[in-house]
C-alpha cells in the first residue's frame, strides 16, 4: 500500500511516526487542453493514483523532505524562489508560496510516496504540491479556503520551480470530487461538479501511457502560450477565452499569420467542446461525448501541433477497435491518451495498442482503466 510506503519512509528517515498522512491525486483532463492559461474552460477528474505525504512537526523555520523516488532527504529554511532546486523545489515552493501569502507555515518533516507516474502528463507535480500544501495547512491550522489553494500551489510551480503552467493541474488535484468531473472556469475559478459515473453506463476510461520520451516540452509549451497571448493582443481581447465560436471566422480573418490562426482555432473550438461535453454529461448522454474527445485530439494534432506519433497511434488504434472517442490528455509532446470504451473492452483495446506500438518499434505502452477519485485530503 502506498500509504504504508509513505509512513514507512517517514519512520525510516526520522525515527518516529508521522503526525498524519495526506493524499492528493494525479489527474486526467477529460477535455479542454491548453485552455487554462487562455482563461477558458477545462474538465479534469482526479485519478485513483495518489501522492501521499507523511508529515510530522519540526522546529519553526525548518523543513526536511524525502521521497521514495530519491536517495537523499533535502533540508531547507525559509527560502526565496530558485534557492532549492531539483525535485524538492516543488516542496520548498509550497512553503515559500504560503509564507509569501502571509501565513505562518509550521516547520515539518515530510516523506513522500507516489503512485502517479512522473512526467507522463498525469500531473505528479501538482499531486506533490497539493499533498504538501494540504498537510501544512492542516498541521498549522492555517485559514486557507479550498478555492484559494490551487493558486498557491500554482505559484510554487510557476514562480519557485519556474514552470509556466496554468491553473488546471492544481485545481484538479485539490478540488475534484469522487464520481465527478470538475468543470472549471479558469477566469473566475468558479467550479461545477459534473456527475461522471461511467460504471453505471457500462463505460470506462482507459488511460494509455505512451511512454514516449518527453522532448522540448518546456520550450514548446512556452511557445504555444506566447502565440496565444500575442493573438489575444492583436485581437484586442484580454484572453482567447473572449473569442466565442461564432466570432471565430471573423477573428481568424484579422490575423495574418497562418500558424497563429491555427493556434487560435484550437483554443476557441476547444472551449466550445468543453461546454458541449458538460451539456452531454448533465443529460446523462456519456457515450455521445466520444466524438468531442476525438475532435479535440484532431485539433491538438493539426492545429495546436502538440502530439507525437505514439499518441496519435494510440488514438487511431483505440478508435479502430471500437472506442467511442479518444484523445491525448495533458500538455503534450508525449504523455497519455484517454479512450472512452465499453468497460469490457479494456483488454482488447490495450492489446491492439500494444501490437500497433510493436509494429512501429516503439517502447510498449502502459494502460489501465480509471474512475474519478477524490481530491486532496487528510487520510
Ligand atoms: P508531471 O506533472 O506531468 O508528472 P512534471 O515534469 O510537471 O510532470 O513533474 C514531474 C516532476 O515532479 C519530477 O521530475 C519530480 O521533480 C517531481 N515529483 C513529482 N512527484 C514526485 C515524487 N513522488 N518524488 C519526488 N519528486 C517528485
Ligand atoms: Mg506537472
Amino acid at each position: 500500500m502506498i500509504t504504508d510506503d509513505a509512513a514507512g519512509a517517514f519512520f525510516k528517515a526520522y525515527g518516529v511516526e508521522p503526525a498524519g498522512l495526506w493524499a492528493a491525486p494525479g489527474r486526467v483532463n477529460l477535455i479542454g487542453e491548453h485552455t487554462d492559461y487562455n482563461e477558458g474552460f477545462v474538465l479534469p477528474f482526479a485519478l485513483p493514483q495518489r501522492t501521499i505525504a507523511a508529515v510530522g512537526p519540526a522546529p519553526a523555520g525548518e523543513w526536511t523532505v524525502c521521497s521514495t523516488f530519491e536517495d537523499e532527504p533535502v533540508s531547507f529554511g525559509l527560502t526565496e524562489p530558485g534557492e532549492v532546486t531539483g525535485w524538492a523545489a516543488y516542496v520548498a515552493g509550497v512553503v515559500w508560496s504560503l509564507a509569501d501569502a502571509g501565513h505562518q507555515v509550521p516547520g515539518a518533516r515530510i516523506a513522500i510516496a507516489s503512485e502517479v507516474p512522473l512526467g507522463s502528463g498525469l500531473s505528479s507535480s501538482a499531486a506533490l504540491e497539493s499533498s504538501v500544501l494540504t498537510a501544512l495547512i492542516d498541521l498549522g491550522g492555517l485559514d486557507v479556503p479550498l478555492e484559494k489553494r490551487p493558486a498557491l500551489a500554482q505559484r510554487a510551480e510557476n514562480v519557485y520551480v519556474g514552470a509556466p503552467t496554468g491553473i488546471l493541474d492544481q485545481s484538479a488535484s485539490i478540488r475534484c470530487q469522487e464520481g465527478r468531473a470538475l468543470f472549471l472556469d479558469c477566469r473566475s475559478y468558479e467550479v461545477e461538479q459534473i456527475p461522471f459515473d461511467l460504471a453505471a453506463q457500462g463505460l470506462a476510461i482507459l488511460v494509455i501511457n505512451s511512454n514516449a520520451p518527453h522532448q522540448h516540452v518546456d520550450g514548446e509549451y512556452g511557445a504555444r502560450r506566447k502565440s496565444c497571448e500575442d493573438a489575444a493582443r492583436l485581437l484586442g481581447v484580454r484572453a482567447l477565452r473572449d473569442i466565442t465560436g461564432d466570432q471565430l471566422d471573423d477573428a481568424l480573418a484579422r490575423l495574418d499569420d497562418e500558424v497563429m490562426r491555427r493556434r487560435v482555432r484550437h483554443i476557441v473550438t476547444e472551449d466550445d467542446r468543453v461546454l458541449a461535453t458538460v451539456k452531454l454529461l448533465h443529460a446523462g448522454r456519456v457515450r455521445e461525448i466520444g466524438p468531442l474527445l476525438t475532435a479535440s485530439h484532431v485539433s491538438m494534432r493539426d492545429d495546436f501541433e502538440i502530439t507525437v506519433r505514439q499518441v496519435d497511434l494510440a488514438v487511431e488504434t483505440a478508435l479502430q477497435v471500437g472506442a467511442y472517442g479518444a484523445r491525448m490528455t495533458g500538455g503534450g509532446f508525449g504523455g497519455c491518451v484517454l479512450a472512452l470504451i465499453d468497460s469490457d473492452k479494456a483488454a482488447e483495446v490495450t492489446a491492439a495498442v500494444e501490437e500497433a506500438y510493436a509494429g512501429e518499434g516503439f517502447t510498449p505502452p502502459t494502460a489501465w482503466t480509471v474512475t474519478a477519485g477524490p481530491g486532496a485530503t487528510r487520510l
Side-chain angles (χ1 to χ4, degrees), residues 10 14 53-56 63-67 91 108-112 132 136:
F10 189 97
Y14 309 118
V55 183
W63 294 272
T64 302
V65 60
C66 61
S67 163
V91 177
R109 292 156 151 182
I110 305 168
I112 302 292
V132 171
L136 293 175

Side-chain angles (χ1 to χ4, degrees), residues 92-113:
V94 166
V95 171
W96 167 80
S97 181
L98 276 168
D100 197 56
H103 298 290
Q104 279 289 334
V105 191
R109 292 156 151 182
I110 305 168
I112 302 292

